[in-house]
Amino acid sequence: MTEIYDWTKFRKSKIHEDILNRWKNLLANEALNEQDYHSFLQLYPAIFFTITNSYIVISKLKLGSEYETDFVVVHEGYSNGTEYEIIEIESPHTKLFDSKGKPSSKLNAALQQIRDWRRWLIDNRNQFHKIFPTSNTKVIKDSKLRFKIIIGRRTSSQLELERRRQIEEEMNIEIISFDRLTDLAIDKRMFLNETTLSSAQKDFNVSAQKDNELANPFYECIKDSDWRSICSNGHSHIHTGLIDEILKVRKYNEDFGKYKKAYKA
C-alpha cells in the first residue's frame, strides 16, 4: 500500500454499517458455532478488539504443542514492556451458569483453558520470552499478560453478574459477553489517519505513509508463524521498531477494496 487513506470516514460509512449488521445477524443465528464467530472476528480485529496503542492481533497462537489461544491482542507498553491480552471465545449462545447457579460446562472449560495456559507459561519461561517478548515473564502477579473470556449474551440478572464478578476477581481475568464486543465496536472504536502510538522512535523512524498503513482498520489477524517471524527479532517497541516486518506479513479483508475506491484522502 503506497497511498495515504482517510480512515476517519470509515466509522460512519456504509461499509462499517454493513460489517456491524453482518455481525449482529451472526449473533442472532443460533445454528452457528464458535468457529463461525472466530472466523468473522479474525477478519475484523481492528473493529472488535483494539482501541488505542494496538495494531496487531494474532489468531490461534500456539503454546507449545499442547495449547492454542483463540486471539492475542498486542498492546504497545513502551518502556514498561509490551502487554498481551490473551482471549478465549465460546459461543454467544452458551449459558454461563446452570439452573442451580453453578458455572456451566462451557464456562468451566474456558476457565480451565486459562489455568492450563498459565501453568504452561510458568513451566516454559524460555518459550514465554520468545512468543511474548516483554519486560518480564511473570504470569500471576505484576504480569504483562491479561486473560479474557468472551462468552454468551448480555444478562440483566444481577445475581448472575455478581457470580461472574466473583469468578473474575478470584481468577484475575475478565469475562465479557458478545454484546459487549458489539458495544465497543459501535461506541469506542475510533479510526484515525495515523496511529495513537507516541514515541521518539516513531517520530524518527516511521514515515507518514507507514503510520497511515499501520492504522488501516481493515487488517486481518496474523497467524502464529507470522507472529513468530516478527517477534524473533525482539524489540522493546514492537509496533514502531518492527513496523516493516508487521506490514510485510499483513493481509487486509475484502472490505478494504471497497473502501479505498471511495475514501482515498
Side-chain angles (χ1 to χ4, degrees), residues 127-190:
Q127 290 291 328
F128 179 149
H129 186 69
K130 289 179 180 179
I131 59 177
F132 297 118
T134 188
S135 59
N136 69 61
T137 54
K138 296 179 181 178
V139 176
I140 304 300
K141 189 176 182 181
D142 299 325
S143 177
K144 298 302 178 182
L145 308 179
R146 289 179 281 149
F147 296 87
K148 176 183 286 185
I149 296 172
I150 303 172
I151 183 172
R153 302 297 299 269
R154 176 169 288 130
T155 179
S156 59
S157 169
Q158 190 61 36
L159 182 58
E160 185 169 315
L161 290 171
E162 289 174 359
R163 287 171 176 151
R164 191 180 77 183
R165 279 194 292 269
Q166 181 181 359
I167 294 172
E168 289 176 315
E169 292 172 1
E170 289 175 349
M171 287 194 61
N172 190 26
I173 62 174
E174 184 180 9
I175 303 173
I176 68 170
S177 70
F178 278 76
D179 295 290
R180 179 61 176 157
L181 279 188
T182 308
D183 292 345
L184 292 172
I186 294 173
D187 299 328
K188 299 295 184 181
R189 301 296 185 247
M190 299 299 295

Side-chain angles (χ1 to χ4, degrees), residues 25-43:
N25 288 335
L26 287 176
L27 293 184
N29 188 344
E30 296 190 9
L32 301 181
N33 58 35
E34 175 193 325
Q35 184 55 48
D36 295 308
Y37 300 102
H38 186 286
S39 296
F40 189 85
L41 292 169
Q42 189 273 332
L43 294 175

Side-chain angles (χ1 to χ4, degrees), residues 249-262:
V249 303
R250 252 196 182 181
K251 294 181 179 179
Y252 300 95
N253 59 58
E254 63 180 13
D255 290 284
F256 178 38
K258 303 173 188 175
Y259 186 86
K260 66 183 181 180
K261 291 179 181 179

Side-chain angles (χ1 to χ4, degrees), residues 1-264:
M1 189 178 86
T2 58
E3 300 90 347
I4 297 291
Y5 291 94
D6 185 356
W7 308 129
T8 64
K9 297 177 181 178
F10 174 49
R11 194 167 187 268
K12 294 184 178 181
S13 70
K14 180 67 172 63
I15 297 170
H16 185 255
E17 181 184 358
D18 178 64
I19 292 168
L20 292 177
N21 285 336
R22 286 155 55 199
W23 169 249
K24 292 174 185 177
N25 288 335
L26 287 176
L27 293 184
N29 188 344
E30 296 190 9
L32 301 181
N33 58 35
E34 175 193 325
Q35 184 55 48
D36 295 308
Y37 300 102
H38 186 286
S39 296
F40 189 85
L41 292 169
Q42 189 273 332
L43 294 175
Y44 301 102
I47 297 178
F48 294 97
F49 287 138
T50 61
I51 299 179
T52 60
N53 290 350
S54 178
Y55 300 89
I56 311 170
V57 181
I58 311 154
S59 172
K60 297 187 179 297
L61 179 68
K62 293 178 174 59
L63 302 181
S65 60
E66 304 164 83
Y67 305 113
E68 183 178 80
T69 65
D70 279 319
F71 297 101
V72 177
V73 184
V74 183
H75 296 274
E76 182 61 57
Y78 304 109
S79 57
N80 289 328
T82 307
E83 298 179 349
Y84 300 91
E85 184 178 41
I86 308 175
I87 300 172
E88 168 76 2
I89 70 167
E90 295 291 338
S91 166
H93 313 299
T94 295
K95 299 292 185 182
L96 275 71
F97 302 96
D98 63 22
S99 58
K100 296 182 180 179
K102 296 181 179 180
S104 67
S105 60
K106 287 289 188 180
L107 176 56
N108 267 328
L111 294 171
Q112 186 59 48
Q113 186 74 270
I114 289 178
R115 293 188 190 98
D116 291 341
W117 292 346
R118 281 176 166 160
R119 185 73 260 166
W120 187 91
L121 291 163
I122 290 169
D123 292 342
N124 296 272
R125 301 283 185 177
N126 289 336
Q127 290 291 328
F128 179 149
H129 186 69
K130 289 179 180 179
I131 59 177
F132 297 118
T134 188
S135 59
N136 69 61
T137 54
K138 296 179 181 178
V139 176
I140 304 300
K141 189 176 182 181
D142 299 325
S143 177
K144 298 302 178 182
L145 308 179
R146 289 179 281 149
F147 296 87
K148 176 183 286 185
I149 296 172
I150 303 172
I151 183 172
R153 302 297 299 269
R154 176 169 288 130
T155 179
S156 59
S157 169
Q158 190 61 36
L159 182 58
E160 185 169 315
L161 290 171
E162 289 174 359
R163 287 171 176 151
R164 191 180 77 183
R165 279 194 292 269
Q166 181 181 359
I167 294 172
E168 289 176 315
E169 292 172 1
E170 289 175 349
M171 287 194 61
N172 190 26
I173 62 174
E174 184 180 9
I175 303 173
I176 68 170
S177 70
F178 278 76
D179 295 290
R180 179 61 176 157
L181 279 188
T182 308
D183 292 345
L184 292 172
I186 294 173
D187 299 328
K188 299 295 184 181
R189 301 296 185 247
M190 299 299 295
F191 305 103
L192 305 176
N193 293 332
E194 59 184 19
T195 67
T196 57
L197 303 171
S198 177
S199 70
Q201 181 151 31
K202 172 186 170 181
D203 295 339
F204 287 111
N205 295 342
V206 179
S207 67
Q209 182 273 325
K210 288 182 180 179
D211 197 45
N212 179 257
E213 185 173 355
L214 191 62
N216 186 329
F218 296 98
Y219 69 84
E220 298 180 7
C221 288
I222 65 172
K223 58 185 180 181
D224 176 278
S225 58
D226 286 335
W227 170 247
R228 291 173 190 273
S229 71
I230 292 170
C231 66
S232 64
N233 296 288
H235 207 282
S236 57
H237 304 303
I238 286 177
H239 287 90
T240 53
L242 301 175
I243 187 169
D244 289 331
E245 289 86 344
I246 295 168
L247 297 179
K248 182 179 179 180
V249 303
R250 252 196 182 181
K251 294 181 179 179
Y252 300 95
N253 59 58
E254 63 180 13
D255 290 284
F256 178 38
K258 303 173 188 175
Y259 186 86
K260 66 183 181 180
K261 291 179 181 179
Y263 295 104
K264 189 181 296 185

